[in-house]
């Protein structure tokens, strides 16, 4: 069937054009809002913008996405030097370098708060929205691809809309649940009572008169590559599953709370851990990004339903998902990120949240974003939305990084994204500390002796004792040497003393 | 009328007794949960416990309140050495000292999360609850005094209940709105759509069979003392009111969002500022603690309705409030703190939140709790609930403390309670920075040149330049001297170089 047939609203068929014509709507200073949230980002127009830059045209755009996009958007646009501003979360190597060099302006946001800010006009006019879609409905509305993110709001507010129609199956129709809440002071409750409740429409409402160009795309998202979980990730997953099993058995936790698991290998390992564990069944997932492991868990019958804002699948995962869409569509729902990450809903459902840290300090404060306090890694993403509102919150990290030259447990984190009150449980491969019934000093003692890598325990313990001696207090610190480990790393390439 | 008549449920009249008999239910190791949230705390039983300690009895209790209580509870119990644990927020001088000395174990919590944790059993059994009340209803339920806090949950979970009936007017009946949400996974939306909506009962449900003692109390809350706002507080208030007025005029902010204002003199100054400003009218307050200024604003017709969890009034304020209760009861509603501080409701209503910091750093991270990183001041209270979920969030502080010897703007805060993503606007008496459209580096530049005290601007600017030079990055820091100002203060008693 011709791709043209995917434009079920005939008046829009005239808008089919080429990338050059479409991209002509984007000029120096354009506020460019794109779909995409680890997946589902447009590919053709970004490439055309790069072509123009390489041909010598001088221009810069302000680039706003749902969250991270692939190398094929953030990477090439950054490389081409055409990005003035970028918001929010990104994870591309080149873009990261340029942000840290102050060549690209970047601001991070809690993902749940972002669509509302755009609707309030705080981000300036939405000049152009570029959206990846599988089809346009008979009424001129949009069916997105593998992510929702902020696309509904971007489409709602855009002066001009460009659509890239892909060849992913049109049967994605029915996967999405699109609901834009009213803004304060007229907002009403978000009526999700169980993880998979559907409260919206299967399409994104669109005013067809604002569509300026439609392209047909043969491109695919860069597929995710998952490495099998390493020993540390497996140990972390075991600690978590053991702990939750124990809490449920002791009736301290209801058996049916939904789970959220962040991005990255450890997060994936936790979900894989369910596969080998026959205690858990009939699980609900209320998360942000759904990865391959969710398909496995659905196939096993361990997961009943999964809600998120995007799916990031491996090449094999994609094939499998598309082949049996009819089956997965009953079990998976993709929502706007302001809904998947809504504090209201997360707290109502009582989500068990698991997110990864760069470093954690002895009192339980967490750095998720800035290496050695200054260099941005990716961004806070949705981690704050889930940590701050979950019913039981885990922060996980391998106890060391860079071949044990860095301890992920430090006296004070060099940047704070989540403070001690947002973190219930701290987990490394060495063990787990439930901070809830402990004073800060008790937390410090247990984190040092349980979570820290054995090679760093003495160093941390000595710091803690000196801090008590020097200043005492509720969270004893000695500010004169609180970052000595970080400074040693910056000087010598290792936090160890013998280097 | 005899005080006995306030026990409208006759079977409970037999439980009237003396403080000694009541306090006998409290022994070494008892988990003691008391009413009280800046006001409305029991006074007789605490005094009896102190008497026992002074008579030589050795015992310690675990003391859990709604938030801070007066000197007459936290102060005397701490002094008597009978407190093993204390949670959450407190603000008593003696108790603070003993917490910082690690003689009293203390853990702070976001106030919105606390009742749920107690219901889940995470704080251990609720052995005894002591509640201040104005009456017991015909059905054996409780009418609290000037605060709600966590009392409904403490009463619900308590094995034994002790009631102190005060002489405050019984006509407080109807002021409170008591609603305990179901816990996850069976929670439903909290159906507050406008600031003053009433969704619960005018009394606290109680099982009368668990009441072990009733006392009649002649005691009153220590009245709040408000000093007239100083110059700095007035300037801060002006900056905020000007800014919001401007945003509303430019249609970037709806005119009818409700306001929250934290505790302390600056917070009170902002509300007083409304009195002299004829732009604002028909305001709603959705806050935590209501102070005298709210009565003024209601009388002026500037405030339409005010919702909170407690009222802390001056002596005069109390007289005025009690004299015209019938009038204020239409306009004021007191709720459990899990509702007044609910992220769901705060985000739905779009609260404009104003909270006070101890120090703020150049990138907008906030310390509300720990002086020089180690010494606890009071606790995080509800500041995180409001900052993290408000539609527009202000953090305010005078630019200096301790007679200008401390700069409240520092390179890096020595403790983080709220990170840059929770803080929209930073205000000191010198000016205001709207961080929302700025990168971290732009925030630093503006905060240094606009908010910092002129005497400290050069020092901060030089730090910032050296950090860029030394490490660059998205939030440049030089960890080797990031706390140099704090260290200088600890060494010399001043952050200034010339001392
Ligand atoms: C924290 C985060 C970066 C970890 O990512 P990950 O892929 O699980 O972890 P990795 O171990 O591969 O670490 C990523 C990089 O950080 C480095 N790193 C990790 N800990 C470090 C530390 N303490 N100091 C310095 N570098 C560190 C790793 O060496 C690795 O570097 P490389 O890319 O040069 O190999 C990632 O989870 C993240 O961006 N989180 C914030 C957003 C979030 O939580 N989103 C989910 C919400 S739904
Ligand atoms: C931050 C907080 C302590 C400020 O209180 P305040 O009464 O407005 O402020 P003050 O200026 O009187 O400061 C209180 C004390 O801290 C000291 N202080 C303030 N800034 C300081 C700084 N940067 N370094 C050291 N000490 C500082 C003051 O000197 C004063 O000391 P004193 O008691 O010895 O006189 C108070 O608002 C608080 O506890 N906040 C956290 C909880 C909260 O925000 N609750 C409201 C939520 S609804």
């Amino acid at each position: 069937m011709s791709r043209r047939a995917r434009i079920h609203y005939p008046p829009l068929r005239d808008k089919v054009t080429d990338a050059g014509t479409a991209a002509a709507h984007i000029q120096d200073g354009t506020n460019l809002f794109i779909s995409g949230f680890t997946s589902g980002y447009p590919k053709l127009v970004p490439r055309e913008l790069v072509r123009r830059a390489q041909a010598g045209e001088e221009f810069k755009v302000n680039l706003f996405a749902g969250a991270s996009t692939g190398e094929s958007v953030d990477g090439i646009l950054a490389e081409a030097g055409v990005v003035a501003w970028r918001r929010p979360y990104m994870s591309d190597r080149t873009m990261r370098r340029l942000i840290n060099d102050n060549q690209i302006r970047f601001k991070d946001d809690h993902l749940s708060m972002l669509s509302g800010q755009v609707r309030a006009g705080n981000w300036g006019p939405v000049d152009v929205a570029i959206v990846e879609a599988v089809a346009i409905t008979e009424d001129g509305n949009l069916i997105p691809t593998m992510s929702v993110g902020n696309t509904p709001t971007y489409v709602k507010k855009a002066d001009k809309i460009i659509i890239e129609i892909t060849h992913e199956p049109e049967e994605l129709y029915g996967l999405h649940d699109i609901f834009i809440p009213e803004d304060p002071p007229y907002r009403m409750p978000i009526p999700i009572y169980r993880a998979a409740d559907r409260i919206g429409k299967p399409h994104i409402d669109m005013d067809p008169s604002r569509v300026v160009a439609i392209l047909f795309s043969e491109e695919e998202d860069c597929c995710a590559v998952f490495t099998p979980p390493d020993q540390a990730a497996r140990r972390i997953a075991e600690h978590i599953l053991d702990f939750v099993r124990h809490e449920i058995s002791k009736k301290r936790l209801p058996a049916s709370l939904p789970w959220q698991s962040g991005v990255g290998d450890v997060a994936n390992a936790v979900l894989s851990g369910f596969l080998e564990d026959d205690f858990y069944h009939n699980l609900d997932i209320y998360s942000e990004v759904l990865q391959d492991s969710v398909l496995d868990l659905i196939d096993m019958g361990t997961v009943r339903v999964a809600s998120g804002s995007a799916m990031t699948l491996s090449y094999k995962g994609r094939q499998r998902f598309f082949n049996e869409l009819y089956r997965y569509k009953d079990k998976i729902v993709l929502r706007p990120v302001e809904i998947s990450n809504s504090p209201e809903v997360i707290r109502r459902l009582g989500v068990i949240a698991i997110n990864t840290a760069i470093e954690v300090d002895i009192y339980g404060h967490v750095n998720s974003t800035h290496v050695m306090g200054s260099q941005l890694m990716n961004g806070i993403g949705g981690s704050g939305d889930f940590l701050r509102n979950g019913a039981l919150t885990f922060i996980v990290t391998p106890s060391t990084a860079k071949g044990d030259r860095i301890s992920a447990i430090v006296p004070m984190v060099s940047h704070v994204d989540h403070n001690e009150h947002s973190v219930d449980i701290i987990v490394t491969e060495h063990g787990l500390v439930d901070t809830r019934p402990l004073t800060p000093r008790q937390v410090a003692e247990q984190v040092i002796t349980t979570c820290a890598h054995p090679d760093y325990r003495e160093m941390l313990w000595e710091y803690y004792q000196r801090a008590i001696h020097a200043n005492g207090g509720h969270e004893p610190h000695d500010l004169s040497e609180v970052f000595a480990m970080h400074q040693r790393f910056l000087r010598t390439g290792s936090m160890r003393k013998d280097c």
Side-chain angles (χ1 to χ4, degrees), chain A residues 89 93 260 262-265 288 355-359 368 371-372 377-383 386 401-402 406-408:
Chain A
Y89 191 86
R93 214 162 261 273
Q260 174 262 347
V263 287
D265 290 338
E288 188 187 277
N355 290 277
T356 313
I358 288 176
E359 56 179 7
S368 308
V371 172
M372 301 294 144
M377 175 60 72
N378 302 327
I380 195 167
S383 53
F386 285 96
K402 306 287 178 207
I406 291 179
S407 172

Side-chain angles (χ1 to χ4, degrees), chain A residues 360-409:
Chain A
V360 182
D361 72 29
I362 57 175
Y363 298 115
H365 304 271
V366 173
N367 176 5
S368 308
T369 57
H370 284 75
V371 172
M372 301 294 144
S374 302
Q375 309 291 324
L376 180 75
M377 175 60 72
N378 302 327
I380 195 167
S383 53
D385 296 322
F386 285 96
L387 279 168
R388 185 66 178 73
N389 295 292
L392 189 67
T393 59
F394 292 87
I395 200 85
V396 302
T397 176
S399 67
T400 61
K402 306 287 178 207
D404 294 353
R405 282 174 292 120
I406 291 179
S407 172
I409 308 294

